[in-house]
Amino acid sequence: MYEPIRTKSVHTSADHADFPHRSREDALDIQLAGHLAALLAVTDELGLTAMGDRIAEQVARLRAAPPARHAGRSEASPAALHRRAHALAGRALVVAASRADTAVAILAAEAMDAHAAALAAPAAPTAPTALVGAP
């Protein structure tokens, strides 16, 4: 009635597989470097060079190579860029806390604070518009 199983089960252990394994710490390093590289791109677009340099140092430490930096500009508003940077810094903070990387955790928290402050700051006042012919 039942046919015997002729192939190996998918539930067998992969301990003897031929592919390379990464440790949890290596995987977290890769993930953290990715979040920081994305944060670096947004930070550079906002023109925050001091913070960008600090982020680039951490990316270089995690990847053992300096990150590629460019000043590519998007059409996004500064507020949208600050929101994106705040979210990326939050993701980096979570991963940094998971791998107990204090330096990156402090940097990510400072970045979150800076971007939250930039979002909370009132917009620069614009010059009042004068109507032509108005008294």
Side-chain angles (χ1 to χ4, degrees):
M1 176 177 237
Y2 292 105
E3 186 175 331
I5 298 173
R6 296 181 183 162
T7 61
K8 288 186 176 182
S9 172
V10 295
H11 301 289
T12 58
S13 175
D15 291 338
H16 304 293
D18 291 336
F19 56 89
H21 295 280
R22 285 194 182 113
S23 68
R24 175 172 164 74
E25 186 174 326
D26 290 342
L28 288 174
D29 283 348
I30 292 167
Q31 186 178 14
L32 183 57
H35 289 317
L36 287 175
L39 178 60
L40 177 62
V42 177
T43 303
D44 283 346
E45 187 169 351
L46 285 167
L48 305 172
T49 56
M51 184 179 292
D53 291 342
R54 291 178 57 204
I55 295 169
E57 287 175 14
Q58 294 302 321
V59 173
R61 179 180 62 86
L62 290 167
R63 289 187 176 165
R69 292 179 78 170
H70 61 68
R73 302 285 181 214
S74 67
E75 298 299 320
S77 68
L81 291 172
H82 282 295
R83 281 192 294 276
R84 187 179 311 153
H86 186 271
L88 288 166
R91 291 181 190 134
L93 178 60
V94 169
V95 177
S98 176
R99 64 180 300 276
D101 191 334
T102 308
V104 175
I106 291 170
L107 178 61
E110 288 174 358
M112 287 182 71
D113 289 344
H115 293 294
L119 287 169
T126 57
T129 56
L131 298 176
V132 176

